[in-house]
Amino acid sequence: MAPKVLEVKDLATEFKTRDGIVHAVNGVSFELHEGETLGIVGESACGKTVTVLSILGLIPNPPGRVVSGTAHYLGKDLLKMSDEEIRFIRGAQISMVFQDPMTSFNPVLTIGRQVAEPIEIHQGVSRKEALERAGELLALVGIPNAKDRLADYPHQFSGGMRQRAMIAMALACSPTVLIADEPTTALDVTIQAQIIDIVKRLRDQLGMAIIWITHDLGIIAGLAQRVNVMYGGCIVEEAVVKELYGNPQHPYTLGLIGSLPRLDASTHTRLISIDGAPPILMQKPTSCPFAPRCTFVVDRCRQENPPLLSFDTHHRVACWVDPKTGGPRS
Amino acid sequence: MSKDDVLLRVDHLVKHFPIMQGIIISKQVGAVRAVDDISFDIRRGETLGLVGESGCGKSTTGRTILQLYRPTSGHVYYNDVDLTTLKGSALRPMRAKMQMIFQDPYASLNPRMTVGEIVGEPLVVHKWGGTREINQRVDELLTQVGLNPAFANRYPHEFSGGQRQRIGVARSLALKPDLIVCDEPISALDVSIQAQVVNLLEDLQDQLGLTYLFIAHDLSMVRHISDRVAVMYLGILAELADRAELYLNPLHPYTQALLSAVPIPDPVAEEKRARIILEGDVPSPANPPSGCHFRTRCPIAQPLCAEQKPEWRELRPDHFVACHFAT
Ligand SMILES: Nc1ncnc2c1ncn2[C@@H]1O[C@H](COP(=O)(O)OP(=O)(O)OP(=O)(O)O)[C@@H](O)[C@H]1O
Ligand SMILES: Nc1ncnc2c1ncn2[C@@H]1O[C@H](COP(=O)(O)OP(=O)(O)O)[C@@H](O)[C@H]1O
Ligand code: SF4
Ligand code: SF4
Ligand SMILES: [Mg+2]
Ligand SMILES: [Mg+2]
């Protein structure tokens, strides 16, 4: 495998709320390699966004706090950097596309100005040159007549165009790592296909590594090389894509794959549903977070949270039980 | 579900929303053509799926069928009775037979009413029976949707999204309807919860012989639950066919693009797929393109497409399409 660009270890993040402490992320460890696309999948509130915001030093404090862990980017711990250092990395080397494109643009500045700004700051070029480059980037992400739209304000763009402009802005300084947080969830499927097509082309051209967050296992299947499945603030399974879909090991992953209808299914089979609802994370997990909903549950699951251990090369799973036999995992 | 056993017939249905301008003397300056002449049947006991991108007119279709919106023109026949001609007291018994489940399980339940009051409300409104009978029916309904009847005294905020959607389903079943319009009933739910609600809807259909119009933008889910699927684009129907036929033989260029854009959760299958990437965005329904509404994004559009509106025709038995060049 290519060298590591990012190595996250034992990351934990909490939020103080009126109702108590929310344990949003509970000891997450993973790696990202050069040029690789890593998917992070999981349901609402399982900790996907908080994981990446923690890495980038973007957790609002208060109420939030990264309570433990390290996140090494090319050998240096992002979590120990000064505000100035991390801001520099965020602008130029690791860039992020946010879940909600409307909140990430300033409504009173033109699109051109906003895409050009990081170029002007980080590459030391004139405003005019930066604007020209912004026009090229907007054209690159498929905005028709891009040069003429530089003077438009965000509300004059459709949802799909705003998301493409966000990607243009994120790519402005040729980052090593692009983090995309559900960039297509709010979009129609034909627009989603446009954006994924563009991202794949740019990835191949520019060779950047990508972390793509989504709740859609379909998108990951066609886009990523490796996947982390998150549940209740923990990574419960991690594998290369073909292995995850072809040989899922965690009961939650099994349930999730079984609960999805397939467009290409030739017969109608009843969906597998997972009973119950996701946990609310108000307690530090001392047991397996999936135990209340798991059909394989044994006593040990309620006493100890299973660690994420290697099951095979390129495949890790956090579960006490082997779902094939129902017996303990050896 | 015989072809001739039609429960509901939609005939050249049109719903335009006026666009008004001016504050003191407001006058109409245009119209959002949310539904722009569509015709189809829903057969007794079937699930008809309705898919399309956001803003294409799916919800407006559902609401106009139920007469929650009055159509601009066209007809809706329920068991051969034209609903569009009925008013007030004549419409009320028909309304009981046709219910709706909404997209947002958070916004669609009154937070100040208990679950029992919410589920029993239609029974009270339609003077279905005395308090005891109504309470009994509420218990029965909650059990039917997999909720503990003891929950009747709790409030909606105490429930998860999936449970709230069950409450919505229980309420829609209260008056023993024939037809339920399910408007994106699972879009707001987590993936693992969506299957719970879909399985519940399927079980209830088997038990009670319900007919569904199932509206969603997720083509995989629509295809899963439906017997037939209608594809909508910018106020019109592009295509309608049996679920298997639509997937194997899509005739409309939009259906073909839509099918190719839906991701399949299987990396091996994804590797082999070719995508048709459509250019641009869906135009505004206030100003749809002349001729074929899809022509601005259609990869095979011809000059004729701008001049003439394609006819809605049955190109193969039970397979309808609106495209000049579909063969
Ligand atoms: N600023 C905050 N204050 C309090 N709690 C927070 C805050 N941000 C996140 N959380 C909590 O942290 C948990 C994880 O949230 P996170 O945003 O990472 O979820 P997610 O996996 O990205 O979900 P989604 O798919 O809905 O975006 C949730 O319980 C959430 O309510
Ligand atoms: N009550 C209304 N007043 C004005 N315009 C409306 C109203 N309801 C829907 N529309 C418009 O009609 C079009 C179709 O909307 P809708 O039926 O809600 O689409 P869908 O359900 O397919 O997303 C949209 O342009 C929408 O903005
Ligand atoms: S550890 Fe136990 S409860 Fe958790 S997923 Fe495995 S079997 Fe289920
Ligand atoms: S009628 Fe013309 S524009 Fe419309 S779908 Fe057919 S070929 Fe395309
Ligand atoms: Mg998120
Ligand atoms: Mg709608």
Side-chain angles (χ1 to χ4, degrees):
Chain A
M1 235 179 247
K4 286 175 215 167
V5 275
L6 191 65
E7 182 171 22
V8 176
K9 272 201 181 129
D10 292 323
L11 183 73
T13 303
E14 300 175 350
F15 292 92
K16 263 209 188 80
T17 69
R18 253 190 339 184
D19 304 326
I21 291 178
V22 176
H23 299 268
V25 172
N26 295 300
V28 156
S29 305
F30 66 92
E31 294 169 2
L32 178 72
H33 303 94
E34 253 172 41
E36 168 187 54
T37 302
L38 171 72
I40 300 184
V41 287
E43 299 178 79
S44 199
C46 72
K48 307 180 294 294
T49 301
V50 171
T51 298
V52 294
L53 292 183
S54 304
I55 296 170
L56 292 178
L58 290 172
I59 293 291
N61 179 0
R65 195 166 66 93
V66 177
V67 288
S68 75
T70 56
H72 284 90
Y73 169 69
L74 300 175
K76 258 193 109 182
D77 190 355
L78 298 168
L79 304 184
K80 298 211 167 59
M81 283 183 186
S82 68
D83 284 357
E84 200 183 332
E85 274 177 299
I86 186 95
R87 210 174 300 131
F88 181 79
I89 299 259
R90 264 202 316 258
Q93 300 179 36
I94 307 181
S95 54
M96 180 148 176
V97 178
F98 291 92
Q99 201 160 353
D100 179 357
M102 211 40 203
T103 57
S104 28
F105 274 117
N106 184 335
V108 302
L109 296 178
T110 63
I111 295 274
R113 169 94 189 270
Q114 297 187 61
V115 177
E117 197 179 77
I119 307 175
E120 203 182 323
I121 295 172
H122 289 279
Q123 299 186 342
V125 298
S126 71
R127 175 160 298 181
K128 192 162 158 281
E129 271 173 89
L131 262 180
E132 214 157 277
R133 177 103 177 91
E136 288 165 19
L137 281 165
L138 289 176
L140 192 68
V141 295
I143 306 265
N145 308 324
K147 289 232 150 59
D148 303 334
R149 314 272 330 225
L150 287 170
D152 281 8
Y153 289 90
H155 74 267
Q156 292 170 283
F157 273 33
S158 70
M161 285 164 70
R162 276 198 291 269
Q163 205 52 283
R164 273 174 273 172
M166 272 295 297
I167 293 172
M169 195 154 84
L171 296 178
C173 298
S174 314
T176 337
V177 179
L178 174 72
I179 299 179
D181 187 4
E182 310 214 33
T184 59
T185 303
L187 305 175
D188 286 326
V189 45
T190 62
I191 309 294
Q192 167 172 292
Q194 285 174 355
I195 289 184
I196 291 179
D197 182 58
I198 288 162
V199 167
K200 279 186 178 168
R201 261 190 295 129
L202 294 174
R203 168 182 74 185
D204 298 343
Q205 265 171 40
L206 308 173
M208 67 207 162
I210 299 178
I211 297 179
W212 191 282
I213 298 178
T214 176
H215 59 262
D216 186 340
L217 274 167
I219 295 179
I220 294 293
L223 181 67
Q225 281 100 41
R226 227 153 39 83
V227 201
N228 285 338
V229 179
M230 283 190 77
Y231 189 83
C234 303
I235 295 177
V236 294
E237 185 159 8
E238 186 227 294
V240 292
V241 278
K242 284 189 185 157
E243 179 69 14
L244 188 96
Y245 293 80
N247 186 21
Q249 288 297 316
H250 195 280
Y252 175 63
T253 318
L254 278 160
L256 212 51
I257 291 174
S259 69
L260 296 176
R262 283 178 59 146
L263 187 63
D264 56 349
S266 53
T267 54
H268 178 103
T269 43
R270 193 180 164 83
L271 301 176
I272 298 170
S273 70
I274 306 177
D275 283 344
I280 40 177
L281 309 173
M282 297 302 288
Q283 269 139 39
K284 218 183 171 83
T286 50
S287 57
C288 172
F290 192 55
R293 306 175 73 189
C294 184
T295 48
F296 295 90
V297 63
V298 295
D299 283 345
R300 187 172 190 186
C301 311
R302 300 199 183 89
Q303 288 146 13
E304 261 179 288
N305 191 3
L308 186 63
L309 296 177
S310 283
F311 159 75
D312 205 343
T313 0
H314 312 313
H315 196 163
R316 295 189 299 163
V317 58
C319 175
W320 296 122
V321 174
D322 178 350
K324 286 219 171 69
T325 62
R329 193 172 277 288
S330 44
Chain B
M1 277 160 276
S2 120
K3 193 173 164 174
D4 305 315
D5 193 3
V6 171
L7 177 66
L8 187 112
R9 166 163 292 149
V10 174
D11 182 31
H12 293 288
L13 190 68
V14 174
K15 178 65 190 174
H16 291 178
F17 294 105
I19 303 172
M20 308 301 276
Q21 221 167 53
I23 297 162
I24 299 166
I25 309 162
S26 99
K27 67 173 202 260
Q28 187 175 344
V29 293
V32 176
R33 291 158 67 173
V35 174
D36 212 14
D37 191 351
I38 62 175
S39 302
F40 60 91
D41 293 343
I42 304 179
R43 299 168 188 165
R44 204 179 302 278
E46 82 165 338
T47 299
L48 178 70
L50 183 60
V51 282
E53 303 188 66
S54 78
C56 75
K58 305 180 295 296
S59 299
T60 305
T61 301
R63 289 165 171 267
T64 314
I65 285 175
L66 299 187
Q67 305 300 306
L68 299 172
Y69 292 152
R70 286 306 192 141
T72 306
S73 64
H75 303 274
V76 178
Y77 300 96
Y78 179 81
N79 281 330
D80 294 324
V81 179
D82 187 353
L83 300 177
T84 62
T85 61
L86 300 182
K87 295 201 177 68
S89 59
L91 195 54
R92 178 173 285 201
M94 303 305 259
R95 281 220 164 111
K97 290 285 158 205
M98 302 180 296
Q99 296 291 320
M100 187 147 180
I101 306 170
F102 297 92
Q103 167 165 6
D104 189 342
Y106 297 89
S108 60
L109 304 178
N110 184 340
R112 280 179 295 275
M113 283 166 77
T114 65
V115 168
E117 286 165 354
I118 290 170
V119 173
E121 190 184 29
L123 300 169
V124 175
V125 171
H126 284 262
K127 305 195 171 61
W128 188 80
T131 315
R132 243 201 43 224
E133 285 144 308
I134 287 182
N135 285 344
Q136 220 163 34
R137 176 82 181 128
V138 168
D139 279 10
E140 189 181 298
L141 287 162
L142 290 176
T143 312
Q144 210 156 34
V145 299
L147 290 172
N148 188 334
F151 290 170
N153 295 321
R154 299 200 188 167
Y155 289 87
H157 74 262
E158 298 173 57
F159 294 89
S160 70
Q163 287 176 316
R164 282 182 221 206
Q165 206 49 293
R166 287 173 195 266
I167 298 168
V169 174
R171 179 177 58 184
S172 76
L173 292 175
L175 295 165
K176 307 197 170 166
D178 296 323
L179 174 73
I180 301 183
V181 173
C182 311
D183 190 3
E184 309 233 18
I186 55 167
S187 306
L189 304 176
D190 270 329
V191 186
S192 74
I193 310 295
Q194 290 184 355
Q196 291 176 8
V197 174
V198 165
N199 287 346
L200 172 69
L201 289 172
E202 289 186 337
D203 292 344
L204 291 170
Q205 182 168 50
D206 289 348
Q207 290 159 21
L208 307 172
L210 296 167
T211 304
Y212 292 139
L213 176 64
F214 188 92
I215 299 174
H217 61 263
D218 175 353
L219 191 49
S220 317
M221 199 52 103
V222 168
R223 195 177 167 253
H224 170 82
I225 197 171
S226 305
D227 298 295
R228 294 187 303 146
V229 178
V231 179
M232 198 164 180
Y233 185 85
L234 205 58
I236 56 152
L237 285 185
E239 189 160 4
L240 193 168
D242 171 84
R243 63 188 292 277
E245 167 74 6
L246 188 85
Y247 179 73
L248 295 172
N249 280 315
L251 299 173
H252 196 284
Y254 176 62
T255 312
Q256 291 164 357
L258 195 62
L259 284 167
S260 91
V262 176
I264 294 178
D266 175 353
V268 182
E270 279 288 315
E271 254 174 27
K272 297 194 202 100
R273 291 181 85 203
R275 287 229 146 79
I276 304 167
I277 306 284
L278 290 179
E279 296 198 357
D281 286 314
V282 184
S284 157
N287 188 18
S290 64
C292 174
H293 284 188
F294 184 55
R295 73 174 164 82
T296 51
R297 300 173 80 200
C298 180
I300 60 162
Q302 302 291 318
L304 173 68
C305 306
E307 288 154 23
Q308 216 174 314
K309 189 177 162 160
E311 221 180 295
W312 180 237
R313 55 202 172 113
E314 189 170 5
L315 200 57
R316 296 177 188 194
D318 234 11
H319 190 156
F320 296 81
V321 62
C323 168
H324 292 306
F325 299 102
T327 48

